[in-house]
Amino acid sequence: MNVKTGSSVAGDSATSAIWTLLSRISGFGRVVLIGAVLGPSYFGNLFQLANQLPWLAFDLAIGALLGSLLVPALVRHVTNEDPESVARVAGGFLGLIVLLFSGIIAIVLLLLGPIAELFALPIVDPATRQQFVSTAGPLLALTAPQLIGYGVAITGQATQHAMGYYKIPAAASIAENVVVIATLAVFGIVFGTGIELEQVTTSHVLLLGGGSSLGVALHAGIQLWGVSRLGVRLRPRAGWNDPDVRQLVRQAIPTSGTAFLNGTRLLMLLTISNTVPGGVVAFQLALNVLNVPVALGAKPVVHALLPRLSGAYQKDDMAEFSDRYLRGVGFAFLLTLPAAMAVASLGWLLSVGVAVGEMDSDAGRQLLAFGITGVAGAIIGDGLYHLATAASYSSSDMAGPLRAQIIRVGLTLLGSAAAMLFSGPEVVLCLAVSMSMADLLSGLYLHRRVRSKLIAGEYGLVHSLSRSAGCAFVSFGLAGLVGYAASLLVDPLSVVNALIISSFAVLVGLAGFVAVRSRLDNEMRGLIDEALGRVQTVSTKAAI
């Protein structure tokens, strides 16, 4: 069994972040292409909802929390260099997941009509609503099996994280995105762009649904290959007979409530955004903007921290646990805080740059601008929530994330109710802002809960965050002014011009942030050194 040793949190985070960046770029391109090919239309909304349904069902069952639970359960066996036990526990849990998700797929297939009716509920025009429902059934049936693929992929990812490997888990989704991008490109070439609901045929549905499901299958296959190359054979087993797996299931029961609430929240947001033609596409693109900095800043740190926090807690070393968590938060927010400020100050400009194809209209650009700018606060809140969740599960606190998720859902529900009072792009803005407020408050609550259990050490998190926040505010405030001034000099402000100006403004802000933040302490310099070292390693291996 190949177990990676001797690496640092910063180094493993940098590796994960580099490959995650490539993955998120491909994912961002995927959603942009959906808008470009299908446009601000109800068919675009439907395709995005059909692709999200398996992930929503995954979230409703146990969601991405699967990895957070499985990693601590595997760490003990990895430390003991026991590949048979790693394969037994991971395979046993995978067997239960496949069984559970197969049942969920069967339920989805039986309830295709009601599910389609739910998604179509916000559509006012009866004829459009009926066309939406009749088209949704076959497309949802083709994408529903993706649920098992996600279960396999996340299990493989968690197993590799427990063994100290992060490259393939972060990079595997690139293959899925490339397949979907190729599917959309073929669709545009063969059938054209801007297809309306009444024009949709069986060929349209088969190509889009089959292509997206093929991408998920490839993603899952790569994760399985990643596990096998480490000397562990991951396959579904009868986990209900395994005491370790049963213990894991007992932990999963309370966390399933957290996952269910998160899935319910996302379902609610996407359904209400279907009030507006193109609203689901615009809101999903805003979510992608949110996910990129979280995936680059918080999640790589979470992946690197989780086995280390679990190990420290199992050794009953709360001093190490406390120091690792606090430094992890400070390290992650070196990226998260400037990203949030960049989105807040330049989101309006970025929205013009990604409004390509059928989204390149006044309505499309406004939808995108409201959605992207509105999620700026969620970048901070969601990042903190993920970090605190990792610390909670590592220390066997299952109740904290659930309570934080209740806060999230309650505040989002209030915002969604308020969104129903509006029409047009304002619906997307209200949803995005309510999401930001919910993520911020729930993240702060869970962090304070974790902080109450920690032992005071030499690391000053407040000083680190205040320095990062101040530098981000000044540098990206200046970047926003640079972007605005440059946009006044260009007429018309086309997609290409907007991309060039926003890229330049982001570089200005980033350069200012790095230059000033590096002078205050060693945190930023350490991050840069680790990132450059990992980039050089990746480049050397690619050249060989």
Side-chain angles (χ1 to χ4, degrees):
M1 182 174 70
N2 299 322
V3 180
K4 189 176 179 182
T5 58
S7 59
S8 66
V9 171
D12 287 339
S13 299
T15 296
S16 183
I18 291 167
W19 289 100
T20 298
L21 174 61
L22 298 176
S23 176
R24 292 299 174 175
I25 289 173
S26 65
F28 196 77
R30 164 180 169 167
V31 181
V32 169
L33 196 58
I34 291 174
V37 173
L38 303 181
S41 65
Y42 284 116
F43 185 47
N45 284 359
L46 174 57
F47 178 64
Q48 192 59 52
L49 285 168
N51 272 283
Q52 285 296 312
L53 180 62
W55 188 257
L56 285 170
F58 183 60
D59 254 354
L60 289 169
I62 191 169
L65 301 178
L66 186 157
S68 299
L69 290 170
L70 189 54
V71 171
L74 295 176
V75 165
R76 174 165 54 90
H77 301 301
V78 170
T79 302
N80 294 334
E81 298 187 14
D82 185 356
E84 288 78 15
S85 293
V86 172
R88 171 178 55 81
V89 175
F93 195 66
L94 178 59
L96 292 178
I97 288 295
V98 170
L99 184 63
L100 171 64
F101 288 175
S102 297
I104 294 175
I105 291 172
I107 294 172
V108 168
L109 294 177
L110 288 173
L111 298 177
L112 284 177
I115 292 172
E117 291 280 359
L118 173 64
F119 286 148
L121 196 61
I123 300 176
V124 176
D125 181 63
T128 303
R129 188 189 308 119
Q130 182 56 44
Q131 187 67 47
F132 187 97
V133 172
S134 62
T135 307
L139 190 56
L140 293 173
L142 284 170
T143 58
Q146 295 176 15
L147 179 58
I148 291 179
Y150 285 128
V152 173
I154 296 297
T155 303
Q157 182 186 69
T159 305
Q160 293 171 81
H161 286 168
M163 299 172 71
Y165 288 84
Y166 303 92
K167 181 171 70 176
I168 290 176
S173 61
I174 296 174
E176 176 186 340
N177 292 329
V178 168
V179 171
V180 176
I181 287 171
T183 300
L184 288 163
V186 171
F187 184 94
I189 293 170
V190 175
F191 300 115
T193 61
I195 303 294
E196 297 295 337
L197 277 175
E198 60 270 15
Q199 300 173 298
V200 176
T201 66
T202 302
S203 298
H204 295 141
V205 172
L206 287 174
L207 177 58
L208 291 177
S212 59
S213 292
L214 177 63
V216 174
L218 182 58
H219 179 186
I222 292 174
Q223 296 287 16
L224 288 177
W225 170 76
V227 174
S228 67
R229 65 191 288 270
L230 300 180
V232 175
R233 186 184 177 190
L234 181 60
R235 59 180 178 82
R237 301 171 183 238
W240 48 88
N241 295 321
D242 190 307
D244 285 345
V245 176
R246 288 201 298 268
Q247 173 63 27
L248 188 55
V249 170
R250 282 193 289 271
Q251 291 179 327
I253 291 174
T255 62
S256 63
T258 304
F260 179 83
L261 289 171
N262 188 60
T264 301
R265 182 176 88 127
L266 185 56
L267 175 63
M268 178 171 49
L269 290 167
L270 290 174
T271 300
I272 294 176
S273 65
N274 195 33
T275 304
V276 188
V280 177
V281 177
F283 193 76
Q284 183 61 53
L285 192 54
L287 291 179
N288 276 49
V289 171
L290 157 66
N291 288 333
V292 167
V294 173
L296 294 178
K299 287 189 176 180
V301 177
V302 168
H303 295 156
L305 272 180
L306 191 56
R308 293 172 168 89
L309 290 175
S310 301
Y313 187 77
Q314 290 171 13
K315 293 184 300 183
D316 197 26
D317 189 346
M318 288 305 295
E320 179 186 346
F321 184 96
S322 302
D323 187 68
R324 286 193 180 277
Y325 172 71
L326 294 175
R327 290 183 186 276
V329 173
F331 183 69
F333 273 72
L334 288 173
L335 290 172
T336 304
L337 284 169
M341 276 301 304
V343 170
S345 61
L346 294 166
W348 62 274
L349 187 57
L350 178 61
S351 66
V352 180
V354 298
V356 300
E358 294 295 319
M359 291 296 285
D360 188 13
S361 63
D362 290 341
R365 286 191 294 271
Q366 191 173 17
L367 280 170
L368 293 170
F370 282 176
I372 291 173
T373 306
V375 300
I379 295 172
I380 300 172
D382 196 47
L384 186 58
Y385 176 83
H386 282 293
L387 290 159
T389 295
S392 298
Y393 287 158
S394 297
S395 57
S396 301
D397 177 13
M398 308 299 166
L402 177 59
R403 293 177 182 176
Q405 196 64 253
I406 291 172
I407 295 172
R408 262 183 158 187
V409 173
L411 292 173
T412 305
L413 181 62
L414 291 175
S416 299
M420 298 299 290
L421 302 175
F422 298 95
S423 61
E426 289 78 12
V427 173
V428 174
L429 176 62
C430 190
L431 291 174
V433 171
S434 68
M435 183 177 182
S436 286
M437 294 301 299
D439 286 3
L440 281 167
L441 292 176
S442 61
L444 286 170
Y445 164 79
L446 190 56
H447 169 71
R448 286 176 61 86
R449 183 181 174 95
V450 172
R451 189 75 185 260
S452 67
K453 300 181 294 186
L454 302 183
I455 297 174
E458 62 180 23
Y459 182 76
L461 178 61
V462 174
H463 290 295
S464 174
L465 294 183
S466 61
R467 290 169 179 174
S468 296
C471 292
F473 182 81
V474 173
S475 58
F476 282 96
L478 174 62
L481 293 175
V482 169
Y484 178 71
S487 68
L488 296 178
L489 301 176
V490 178
D491 187 25
L493 185 60
S494 64
V495 168
V496 175
N497 290 335
L499 280 176
I500 293 173
I501 294 172
S502 57
S503 298
F504 175 72
V506 167
L507 288 176
V508 169
L510 187 60
F513 178 81
V514 171
V516 177
R517 188 66 180 82
S518 297
R519 297 180 65 87
L520 299 179
D521 55 45
N522 294 325
E523 281 187 297
M524 178 57 71
R525 290 194 292 274
L527 172 61
I528 295 172
D529 290 342
E530 289 283 359
L532 289 177
R534 295 308 169 109
V535 169
Q536 184 177 8
T537 300
V538 170
S539 302
T540 302
K541 289 182 178 180
I544 295 174

